[in-house]
Amino acid sequence: MTSVPSRRFKRGWLETREYPVPADIPAALADLGLQVMRIIGDEANGKCPKHFERTGKEDRHPSWSCNTNTGVFNCFSCMYTGPFVQLVVDVLDISWDEAVEWVRQRGGIERVNKILGRGKYIDELLEEQAVQIFTEADLALYTTPPLEARRKRGLTEASCKYYGILWDKSRDMWITPIRDRNGKLLGWQEKNERVFKNRPFSIEKSKTLFGFHQFEGGTAILLESPLDCARLHSVGVKGAVSSYGAAVSDWQMQLLFEYADLIILALDNDRDGWKAAQQLKQRYRGMGRRLAFYNYGASDAKDAGDQSGDEIRFGVDHRLSPLRVRFSE
Ligand SMILES: [Zn+2]
């Protein structure tokens, strides 16, 4: 049985979002700091700007191209694709509205109609899953993660079930549902050793908190990876939630301050994780005793999910107060 999720598109979506395209796309790519290596026909080729983030490897060959008429970009290696505004959002790390404004300032507005006028093109864009709607019925195609996969990460079946973590048998991928504050399914993350994808592509993770619906109050432990929440649960540590990365949003922190007595920040044990933790320490200086930091001790594990049960319990039990914690470079 093949388990390809059915494609359901939200009608009327086009009215709610705009897709301006810059007048001069190669110039706009340069403004974004992206190097165009060659232009063949109407495709500008270069190195994929999101390749490392999505695959863990640099794009050594120019796998990525951007159409100089439509602004649609695509990496044939990691499938990073979308409309030009999405590229601006990702590269500059700004909101969709800000990105639309950024493109408009580059003479984009008059080309909106041209793009929207081509029904087929828009269908293709939808087909590229930028705006797919994901439903619970789609999730029903996925199964309980198999023993081999769970064993590699030290996850029990009960913990996967607790967090609603699933498995795509046809592609050997972890499926981690993303829900809004009220529990409504927004999409999910797909992950294996090589690929890491959000579906839909443009999902706003900063307004969601993985594990929030399982959280029973008391101490929350904030991790980067959703799968690591299940790892903590598997060794008997409750209250793990995930921000889906080192970029913890104010929305996520405020939700936690609202529902948790204590937040233990357990971001990754690497440069990005330390930097993010340091910034959060400063940003929430006034929260004093309600904020603490996971204690990695002398461990060089890349994150809490890679640690043993004893190490995880140590990290939580011997958490550090903001006054005591130091982040090395
Ligand atoms: Zn790529």
Side-chain angles (χ1 to χ4, degrees), residues 48 50-51 59 75 77-80:
C48 174
K50 287 299 226 183
H51 213 77
D59 184 20
C75 173
S77 169
C78 77
M79 314 297 209
Y80 174 52

